[in-house]
Amino acid sequence: MRFLVTGGAGYIGSHATLRLLDAGHEVTVVDNLYRGHRGAIEALARVGGPRLRFVEADILDTAAVARALRDGGVETVLHFAALTYVGESMERPDDYHRTNTTGGESLLAAMRACGVHRLVFSSTAATYGVPDAGAMPITEDTPQRPINPYGASKLAFEQVLRAQTAWLSSVALRYFNVAGADPAGRLGEDHRPETHLIPICLEVALGRRPQLTVFGDDFPTPDGTCVRDYVHVEDLVDAHVAALAALENGTVDGTVDRQTPHRFLRWNIGIGRGYSVREVLESCRRVTGHAIPAAIGPRREGDPPSLYADPAAITRDLGWRARWTDLDAIVRTAWDWMRAHPAGYR
Ligand code: UDP
């Protein structure tokens, strides 16, 4: 099949592109390289050869995206391109709305003009905000009340998708915390700036940072540090593959409904249990064999004590469940890539 992947030079988009190429598909990547890496495209080209096309363009450039769709003979779109930092979204809310919501609408306009009517959207647990009384786990029916412009911009695009079912079949996958790297070591995670817990611990182990600052140890959790649901990027990509099958017919059970062929579907992607910051730090120490000095600092604004998914719906509907449930194994894949690429994609 022929796919278009937006944000395919970024962390998750590149891993999804790799999977599609490994499966023999043709992929056109559209990425503006604002935070994506040319090095990731080069790594993908080594795998896909001529089955990989790269178009350096912004998703707000509707005409360029439409050209990429036509030139690639695209049937289905995986949409990862986004701005993704919660903190930055507080300072630049307009940019987040423009890229994440308006950019998505621009992509839809191009798709509609080209007769492409299948989309998988990279959404986020940040669309839920903080559930009442911190009730966990989060199901798909947990009310979506984002607490920052990042979550709001992703939710706004989900609402756009929901309103387009006259012509579009779409799936929103709401990711919890994503971690790890291609187990074969072809791709990894390289964020500039890096704000995520696991890569920061590993950068300390590599000597790129002096220490980890733990953002608060007085939360109402078992060890006082925040609890999150870390899903391996490879499992996350598996969920996309499962969702693509559901999109083929617009229904989850594989039947074709001729009255309403197009649907909006949504699932949470997580392993269904949380690990605390301390547990992640201990795991990184075990895997790297490095002491990883850490100091307790103040809380980071907007961090809820505990967030983890109820992934029962996607297990029931699509048979997906996380295979990487051992935190050390997840961390090891990230560590292997980082050790082999101490300067990231540079
Ligand atoms: N965290 C931390 N120190 C850091 C980075 C993150 O203590 O330098 C904590 C953060 O407060 C949160 C957890 O690690 O509780 C995961 O943070 P990350 O930024 O990786 O993902 P988020 O849950 O914010 O999406």
Side-chain angles (χ1 to χ4, degrees):
M1 289 181 66
R2 290 185 293 269
F3 293 90
L4 183 124
V5 177
T6 73
Y11 169 46
I12 300 171
S14 63
H15 280 82
T17 301
L18 180 64
R19 173 68 59 85
L20 296 173
L21 294 172
D22 275 341
H25 300 299
E26 290 181 29
V27 185
T28 302
V29 166
V30 171
D31 198 300
N32 64 3
L33 297 182
Y34 174 56
R35 286 190 171 134
H37 303 280
R38 200 172 287 283
I41 298 296
E42 287 161 7
L44 291 168
R46 284 194 282 279
V47 174
R51 287 184 292 110
L52 176 74
R53 288 187 191 80
F54 174 56
V55 176
E56 187 174 341
D58 194 293
I59 50 169
L60 284 156
D61 185 346
T62 312
V65 175
R67 224 170 13 250
L69 288 167
R70 281 199 200 93
D71 291 350
V74 170
E75 301 152 289
T76 301
V77 174
L78 277 70
H79 177 36
F80 300 93
L83 295 175
T84 61
Y85 295 108
V86 168
E88 184 181 69
S89 81
M90 311 281 241
E91 289 150 26
R92 299 167 47 190
D94 295 351
D95 289 342
Y96 274 67
H97 181 82
R98 218 168 84 83
T99 298
N100 295 356
T101 312
T102 312
E105 288 171 326
S106 162
L107 170 64
L108 290 188
M111 288 174 63
R112 196 165 190 176
C114 297
V116 178
H117 52 80
R118 286 200 289 263
L119 176 82
V120 181
F121 170 52
S122 172
S123 190
T124 167
T127 60
Y128 293 112
V130 184
D132 289 335
M136 287 296 129
I138 291 176
T139 74
E140 289 77 1
D141 296 322
T142 298
Q144 288 177 290
R145 292 191 296 248
I147 55 163
N148 50 59
Y150 168 62
S153 66
K154 288 280 188 171
L155 176 58
F157 189 57
E158 277 199 19
Q159 285 160 347
V160 170
L161 294 177
R162 206 183 280 276
Q164 298 297 320
T165 50
W167 68 279
L168 180 74
S169 290
S170 63
V171 176
L173 297 178
R174 298 175 186 152
Y175 311 161
F176 283 69
N177 293 55
V178 186
D182 172 40
R186 296 168 293 179
L187 296 172
E189 180 173 12
D190 181 4
H191 288 118
R192 313 287 168 97
E194 188 53 79
T195 62
H196 296 108
L197 177 60
I198 291 174
I200 285 179
C201 289
L202 299 180
E203 286 184 2
V204 177
L206 268 185
R208 290 212 320 234
R209 294 173 188 254
Q211 63 169 25
L212 169 75
T213 303
V214 175
F215 296 145
D217 68 346
D218 57 351
F219 288 93
T221 58
D223 69 16
T225 65
C226 288
V227 169
R228 296 287 183 272
D229 184 333
Y230 296 88
V231 62
H232 195 284
V233 66
E234 195 178 48
D235 277 333
L236 183 77
V237 170
D238 279 345
H240 288 71
V241 172
L244 286 170
L247 270 185
E248 293 289 308
N249 293 316
T251 60
V252 294
D253 60 6
T255 59
V256 178
D257 177 347
R258 299 208 181 279
Q259 299 300 312
T260 49
H262 298 297
R263 300 281 167 92
F264 170 77
L265 305 163
R266 77 282 180 276
W267 287 286
N268 288 340
I269 312 292
I271 71 171
R273 70 150 284 186
Y275 290 97
S276 72
V277 173
R278 263 193 230 284
E279 287 175 308
V280 171
L281 173 61
E282 287 308 326
S283 170
C284 292
R285 285 173 171 158
R286 277 192 301 273
V287 169
T288 63
H290 190 283
I292 311 183
I296 308 299
R299 292 183 178 192
R300 186 171 66 178
E301 204 192 339
D303 264 346
S306 182
L307 286 178
Y308 55 93
D310 179 350
I314 187 163
T315 302
R316 183 190 62 227
D317 294 338
L318 304 183
W320 177 90
R321 73 173 75 240
R323 290 176 299 150
W324 293 81
T325 51
D326 173 41
L327 187 57
D328 287 10
I330 295 175
V331 168
R332 191 166 298 114
T333 60
W335 177 236
D336 285 346
W337 187 82
M338 218 187 245
R339 242 182 345 173
H341 303 84
Y345 282 112
R346 295 218 177 135

